Amino acid sequence: GAVVSQHPSRVICKSGTSVKIECRSLDFQATTMFWYRQFPKQSLMLMATSNEGSKATYEQGVEKDKFLINHASLTLSTLTVTSAHPEDSSFYICSAKAASQETQYFGPGTRLLVL
Amino acid sequence: AQSVTQPDIHITVSEGASLELRCNYSYGATPYLFWYVQSPGQGLQLLLKYFSGDTLVQGIKGFEAEFKRSQSSFNLRKPSVHWSDAAEYFCGGGGTSYGKLTFGQGTILTVHP
């Protein structure tokens, strides 16, 4: 149980385009989902927290207009990187947790390369 | 501010040897503590977690961790390492608002045959 998927697993796009990454909880209802960014050989940096049906809460320094997060259902959250630039290239990982649970379950990650 | 520290960036052990990965936390109250493992290019897999109760926690793949309040530590141990344990290990602390986790810097484990 507690499986989280991400799609796509890797994406290459041109500078200036937008990219959408999906995060799904497959066997539980995720009232809260988290989006992280991980640079090579570094730890995970929390970008934002999203609760189903509410606006996402962004961490300091994360541009909410650039990284659009939608959590429209209890099993799906999306991260859209708008007008992507090469510096947005990174590994993006989502996690999900159920209500009143403290454990986060992580997706396999999405590697984004912006040319 | 809450923080989690993993003092060792890289550890190398021989296959069959014992392993201990260090994790220190700084929280006002007892946090929820987790250990995750990440293989290259993959997401994080939960190894074990501590919320309360018995301070020695058993996890998957033969791992265990001990919560020591006096030392603000939650070190991960394994009595005999296998080559497949080579990966990066992250210690995380939570229990704050919205269930956010704070991760340590990670420890890369290399296993020599």
Side-chain angles (χ1 to χ4, degrees), chain B residues 5-69:
Chain B
T5 304
Q6 293 177 247
D8 305 305
I9 297 175
H10 195 170
I11 283 184
T12 299
V13 299
S14 298
E15 190 169 16
S18 63
L19 171 71
E20 183 170 30
L21 302 183
R22 296 185 291 167
C23 173
N24 296 101
Y25 67 89
S26 173
Y27 278 75
T30 299
Y32 302 129
L33 295 164
F34 304 83
W35 274 101
Y36 289 88
V37 59
Q38 183 181 35
S39 297
Q42 301 294 316
L44 275 67
Q45 180 183 21
L46 179 68
L47 287 176
L48 47 79
K49 57 189 176 185
Y50 172 77
F51 291 168
S52 64
D54 193 347
T55 56
L56 185 61
V57 181
Q58 301 297 321
I60 63 171
K61 303 185 179 185
F63 286 94
E64 65 178 27
E66 186 170 11
F67 171 70
K68 293 185 177 180
R69 185 190 304 275

Side-chain angles (χ1 to χ4, degrees), chain A residues 32 34 36 38 41-44 46 49 51 57 59 91 93 97 102-109 111, chain B residues 32 34 36 38 41-46 49 51 88 90 94-96 98-101 103-106:
Chain A
T32 306
F34 303 86
Y36 296 85
Q38 187 179 32
K41 301 188 186 300
Q42 294 189 25
S43 188
L44 284 76
L46 179 65
T49 303
N51 291 292
T57 301
E59 295 299 301
F91 192 55
I93 307 177
K97 68 184 267 308
E102 291 298 332
T103 302
Q104 291 183 30
Y105 296 94
F106 284 79
R111 186 159 304 282
Chain B
Y32 302 129
F34 304 83
Y36 289 88
Q38 183 181 35
Q42 301 294 316
L44 275 67
Q45 180 183 21
L46 179 68
K49 57 189 176 185
F51 291 168
E88 187 160 16
F90 290 95
T96 58
Y98 306 111
K100 293 197 297 185
L101 284 180
F103 283 98
Q105 298 88 329

Side-chain angles (χ1 to χ4, degrees), chain A residues 14-85:
Chain A
K14 293 182 179 180
S15 185
T17 60
S18 294
V19 174
K20 180 184 284 188
I21 302 170
E22 293 186 348
C23 177
R24 293 181 184 272
S25 57
L26 299 185
D27 51 4
F28 68 101
Q29 293 187 325
T31 51
T32 306
M33 288 185 168
F34 303 86
W35 287 95
Y36 296 85
R37 184 173 180 177
Q38 187 179 32
F39 292 102
K41 301 188 186 300
Q42 294 189 25
S43 188
L44 284 76
M45 180 191 78
L46 179 65
M47 299 174 65
T49 303
S50 73
N51 291 292
E52 185 264 338
S54 303
K55 288 185 178 180
T57 301
Y58 290 82
E59 295 299 301
Q60 190 173 6
V62 178
E63 300 176 60
K64 62 180 181 180
D65 294 329
K66 180 165 189 62
F67 298 100
L68 301 179
I69 292 172
N70 183 277
H71 190 167
S73 79
L74 286 171
T75 59
L76 173 65
S77 176
T78 60
L79 167 67
T80 301
V81 183
T82 62
S83 186
H85 288 94

